[in-house]
Amino acid sequence: MPLKIELGDTVELKKQHPCGGREFEVLRTGMDFRLRCKTCGHQIWLPRPELEKRVKRVVPGGGHEGNDR
């Protein structure tokens, strides 16, 4: 079963980016994910199977839930 990762979430990866950051913001979801490093701003593309292997934890964000008026 695929991980529930949504637009605006922050994912912490097992290995760190060359800049030293581990946290990435999700900019695009689907078969491929576009992530932006929260430390240096560099963007990377990862296919879903590779991302699911690398994810350590998912921090919900984006404010999609609880948006009733």
Side-chain angles (χ1 to χ4, degrees):
M1 178 149 186
L3 285 175
K4 184 153 175 72
I5 301 173
E6 295 181 357
L7 197 63
D9 288 352
T10 298
V11 292
E12 183 181 347
L13 302 183
K14 294 176 184 175
K15 286 186 166 183
Q16 63 186 10
H17 190 247
C19 72
R22 288 181 189 261
E23 293 189 343
F24 291 80
E25 179 184 1
V26 178
L27 301 176
R28 182 180 186 275
T29 61
M31 264 318 276
D32 295 320
F33 283 81
R34 185 170 55 159
L35 308 172
R36 178 176 38 219
C37 178
K38 293 190 121 187
T39 305
C40 70
H42 184 79
Q43 294 183 15
I44 60 171
W45 286 83
L46 287 175
R48 179 179 285 274
E50 191 172 336
L51 178 66
E52 289 183 353
K53 282 191 261 181
R54 291 185 181 191
V55 168
K56 188 173 185 179
R57 70 182 175 115
V58 177
V59 179
H64 296 293
E65 56 274 349
N67 195 11
D68 48 64
R69 295 180 179 197

